[in-house]
Amino acid sequence: MIKYSKLIWVLLIGLQLVFGGCQKEEYELGELITPTNIMLNYEIKGANSENPYGDGSGVVNFTATAD
């Protein structure tokens, strides 16, 4: 019984050393600048006068621009 209690104490102390030694890293982003004058354009693949909703592939290309 004494062997098991010593083993339990060693495991508990080992776990405390492993988890107690970890430190949470702090990250910083810096100044966040909100974009202005946002323009969003889209192009449907295969869209023409016969197929205004495209060729059925479901591919849409988006482009976004901002100041």
Side-chain angles (χ1 to χ4, degrees):
M1 188 69 178
I2 294 175
K3 290 181 183 180
Y4 292 119
S5 65
K6 286 183 181 180
L7 180 64
I8 291 172
W9 277 108
V10 169
L11 288 175
L12 288 175
I13 291 172
L15 286 174
Q16 283 183 336
L17 289 174
V18 168
F19 291 113
C22 299
Q23 292 182 352
K24 185 176 180 180
E25 294 183 25
E26 295 182 20
Y27 299 102
E28 292 184 22
L29 292 176
E31 184 180 351
L32 298 177
I33 301 171
T34 306
T36 57
N37 196 18
I38 298 173
M39 299 283 293
L40 180 65
N41 297 318
Y42 64 91
E43 177 186 358
I44 301 172
K45 182 178 179 188
N48 55 26
S49 60
E50 292 180 15
N51 299 315
Y53 300 113
D55 59 3
S57 66
V59 176
V60 180
N61 294 323
F62 290 98
T63 55
T65 57
D67 293 337

